[in-house]
């Protein structure tokens, strides 16, 4: 069939350019060491910042809820009913994020689709950081609003965009709190000042900062002390919290609006009780065991400094997401293949996920990595980096 031939051609094209995603099957649990085809690898590619995917309290909560309430939700929340435990999670989340309310979605991705497609309306303009996550862009495309991208973290460009869009009904600025491919932070204090000066709305996607930045991991908004000045915060349970599911933390009216207007909330089945219970337990762990967050930062500093001392360029990272810059996509892909053969699970990322010529290995350090694992990983980086002449 011609259509299928077209698809095959596109798949082969990506493979030839080393831009295809390799799907690697892992056996058993996610952790700092994973089993792949009978071989143990050190995991440096999971967003499991606090190591909670396998935390005993999180596992036990999921197991108990599965036994008590079964495997599935049975339908969308607006039709089949909302579990009381989901509402309890939303209350706990609002308290954690210090907002009036919160609403849970099935994933971080669908949260951004729901928020960005339903809040900006006809006659509005969305000003979006050029490095924002793809789910934000896809959400904006589904909306009736116009979009203008401003240069990454460039406050002059953002101000220009705000000044030039005064004729729109509403201006909505959206930014990641921590950027997923570079690990740098949005300059939220400056963004908030501009948003207030131009009377705009601010949405911050804190997917990579919840559980990582701020008091007890409350995110970048808390880190910068901007609680009453950011209108809408998006988050996910799939990264530091180690489970899955997205959420919005905001005012009650915003959450009520989303429950009535965000299609990804209305028309997608709710989480199974076990997922909700695991998210609750993860939040409890984050609050009760702050030493895990301290360990995350100790490990991040240790590994990033180790890479720098070896001569690697770690870009502008200020978080546990550490890009090891390579430049050329094919070289980055070879680097990742060699690291994999040597026992490290870490992926190369290239265009279009990052800018052309900025291919890199994306490393993620977690609180659960031991010093032995990090030292072993650094030795492998050194050996292969020298073999491939990425460092001297
Ligand atoms: C900034 C950002 N927002 C949203 C998402 C989507 O979150 P989830 O994986 O929970 O769907 C991601 C995931 O990669 C992300 O990096």
């Amino acid at each position: 069939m011609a259509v299928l031939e077209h698809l095959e051609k596109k798949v082969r094209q990506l493979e030839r350019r080393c831009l295809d995603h390799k799907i690697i099957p892992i056996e058993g649990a996610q952790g700092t060491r994973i089993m792949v085809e009978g071989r143990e690898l050190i995991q440096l590619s999971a967003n499991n910042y606090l190591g909670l995917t396998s935390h005993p309290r999180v596992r036990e909560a999921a197991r108990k809820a599965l036994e008590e309430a079964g495997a599935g939700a049975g339908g969308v929340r607006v039709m089949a009913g909302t579990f009381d435990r989901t509402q309890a999670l939303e209350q706990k989340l609002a308290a954690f994020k210090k907002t009036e309310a919160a609403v849970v979605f099935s994933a971080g991705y669908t949260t951004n689709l729901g928020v960005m497609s339903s809040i900006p309306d006809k006659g509005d303009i969305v000003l979006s950081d050029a490095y924002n996550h793809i789910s934000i862009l896809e959400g904006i495309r589904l909306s009736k609003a116009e979009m203008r991208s401003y240069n990454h973290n460039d406050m002059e460009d953002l101000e220009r965009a705000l000044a030039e869009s005064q004729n729109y009904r509403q201006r909505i600025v959206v930014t990641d709190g921590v950027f997923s491919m570079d690990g740098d932070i949005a300059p939220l204090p400056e963004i908030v000042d501009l948003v207030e000066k131009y009377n705009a709305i601010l949405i911050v996607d804190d997917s990579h900062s919840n559980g990582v930045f701020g008091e007890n991991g409350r995110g970048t908004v808390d880190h910068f002390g901007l609680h009453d000045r950011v209108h809408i915060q998006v988050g996910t349970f799939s990264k530091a919290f180690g489970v899955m599911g997205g959420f919005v933390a905001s005012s009650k009216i915003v959450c009520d609006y989303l429950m009535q207007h965000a299609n990804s909330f209305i028309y997608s089945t709710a989480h199974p009780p076990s997922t909700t219970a695991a998210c609750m337990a993860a939040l409890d762990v984050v609050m009760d065991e702050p030493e895990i967050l301290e360990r995350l930062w100790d490990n991040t500093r240790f590994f990033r400094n180790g890479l720098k001392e070896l001569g690697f360029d770690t870009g502008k990272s200020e978080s546990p997401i550490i890009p090891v810059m390579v430049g050329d996509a094919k070289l980055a892909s070879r680097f990742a293949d060699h690291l994999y053969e040597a026992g490290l699970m870490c992926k190369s990322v290239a265009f279009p996920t990052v800018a052309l010529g900025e291919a890199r290995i994306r490393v993620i350090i977690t609180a659960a990595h031991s010093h032995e694992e990090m030292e072993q990983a650094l030795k492998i980086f050194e050996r292969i980096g020298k073999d491939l002449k990425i460092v001297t």
Side-chain angles (χ1 to χ4, degrees), residues 1-16:
M1 245 188 288
V3 168
L4 301 187
E5 274 169 27
H6 171 68
L7 300 185
E8 183 173 4
K9 211 166 110 191
K10 290 186 83 166
V11 170
R12 302 289 165 247
Q13 227 171 39
L14 278 183
E15 286 170 355
R16 267 197 309 279

Side-chain angles (χ1 to χ4, degrees), residues 47 106-110 112 132-133 135-136 176 178-180 205-208 234-239 244-246 362:
N47 300 311
S106 56
Y109 201 101
T110 58
N112 275 332
N132 276 346
H133 192 255
S135 53
I136 293 177
D176 285 0
V178 167
F179 291 87
S180 57
D205 178 350
D206 248 349
S207 290
H208 286 281
V234 170
T236 178
F237 281 107
S238 70
K239 304 190 192 299
M244 83 165 295
R362 178 174 181 257

Side-chain angles (χ1 to χ4, degrees), residues 52 54-63 277-278 280-289:
L52 298 190
S54 292
H55 192 288
R57 285 171 70 185
V58 177
R59 279 181 183 231
E60 175 56 18
R63 193 194 57 73
M280 287 270 247
L283 260 178
D284 288 339
V285 171
V286 167
M287 291 299 292
D288 299 346
E289 302 180 33

